[in-house]
Amino acid sequence: MLDPDCAGRTALVTGSSSGIGRAFALGLAEAGADVAIHYNTSDAAAAATAEEATDYGVDSIAVGSDLTDPAAVEECFSTIESSLGSVDVLINNVGDFAPKHWSDITLEEWHHVMDTNLTATMLCSKRALGPMREDSWGRIVNLGYASAERAAVGVKNFPYFVAKTGVLMFTRMLAADTTEDGITVNAVSPYVVETSDAFPEDAPRGRWAQPSDLLQAVLFFVDEDSAYISGENVEIDGGWLPESV
């Protein structure tokens, strides 16, 4: 596992009470960053993750927020800034999906998937940019989906595919908008992770991705020596080829 030096940095991992977000937060804590464990409803799990993060000798808090609400995003960041300092590393991990046929998805579900994946990524990045620009340093890593660069779609989960394609477009745009600011913006795009809720029949390389597989890429992007790498997307898919015939 890569071992960047994140001492003195503050990291916010959205949706980090469990799953891959939890792995990201604990990995950054192990690298020396103070970490904010974000949750929406899982307050007990977030508190437990925050306590575990302190085992690495860093400070950690749990902060609850609906990141689709601009006022709640502001409150979330203000809480982190008052407790840990301004956010240097932002991992936009939060995002729900709707594994239904597109015609069975309600308008409310449609908006929820789009907002938790794409709108929340935009709102959190926008709020983080001010302090990052003032410090001339920042790392933003967004969570995409393997094959989103190809605009792959299916009749099930369609708004999720649209939102994740938007996340990758946003990543490239924001990388271009921060070239003079000491900030990098990149994406990590998994296929199926062992913590997922549903699994296809065949797993590339005989297994599903582990959270540590994704963490490896996140730590690479966060590393000080990755300062010239921005606007990139790494697919963590084991060599999955969705367009195979």
Side-chain angles (χ1 to χ4, degrees):
M1 186 64 66
L2 294 176
D3 186 26
D5 182 5
C6 294
R9 303 294 186 189
T10 295
L12 165 61
V13 182
T14 68
S16 50
S17 63
S18 62
I20 60 174
R22 177 180 179 276
F24 294 157
L26 294 178
L28 289 167
E30 186 174 8
D34 296 330
V35 292
I37 309 301
H38 163 262
Y39 69 93
N40 191 6
T41 59
S42 304
D43 53 342
T49 300
E51 184 174 353
E52 185 173 351
T54 62
D55 291 342
Y56 294 106
V58 301
D59 293 329
S60 181
I61 62 169
V63 55
S65 180
D66 174 4
L67 298 180
T68 68
D69 178 356
V73 170
E74 176 61 37
E75 183 178 357
C76 175
F77 274 79
S78 295
T79 298
I80 295 167
E81 288 166 350
S82 63
S83 298
L84 302 177
S86 60
V87 173
D88 305 295
V89 177
L90 170 63
I91 313 297
N92 284 307
N93 168 67
V94 75
D96 290 333
F97 60 99
K100 301 178 182 179
H101 190 279
W102 73 270
S103 62
D104 295 325
I105 295 173
T106 67
L107 183 58
E108 182 180 6
E109 289 173 321
W110 175 283
H111 285 307
H112 179 74
V113 172
M114 296 292 287
D115 287 345
T116 56
N117 284 281
L118 181 54
T119 305
T121 293
M122 180 275 293
L123 290 174
C124 289
S125 298
K126 185 177 181 179
R127 178 58 176 79
L129 279 177
M132 286 182 178
R133 282 180 164 134
E134 289 179 8
D135 294 339
S136 299
W137 198 96
R139 297 287 188 269
I140 298 175
V141 181
N142 300 322
L143 265 290
Y145 176 72
S147 80
E149 282 190 341
R150 306 175 184 86
V153 297
V155 297
K156 292 184 178 180
N157 221 9
F158 180 72
Y160 180 81
F161 297 138
V162 173
K164 288 305 189 184
T165 300
V167 166
L168 296 186
M169 293 176 68
F170 178 77
T171 298
R172 292 194 297 271
M173 180 280 295
L174 195 57
D177 195 40
T178 54
T179 55
E180 306 298 324
D181 301 321
I183 300 167
T184 66
V185 188
N186 294 287
V188 172
S189 296
Y191 174 39
V192 179
V193 186
E194 64 182 11
T195 57
S196 298
D197 295 326
F199 300 90
E201 291 185 5
D202 298 320
R205 300 180 185 270
R207 68 172 177 88
W208 304 116
Q210 300 169 355
S212 59
D213 295 318
L214 280 67
L215 176 60
Q216 180 84 346
V218 168
L219 294 177
F220 170 74
F221 285 137
V222 168
D223 190 83
E224 185 71 34
D225 292 334
S226 296
Y228 197 72
I229 301 169
S230 194
E232 299 303 320
N233 174 48
V234 174
E235 293 188 346
I236 312 296
D237 60 10
W240 175 55
L241 198 66
E243 71 273 24
S244 58
V245 296

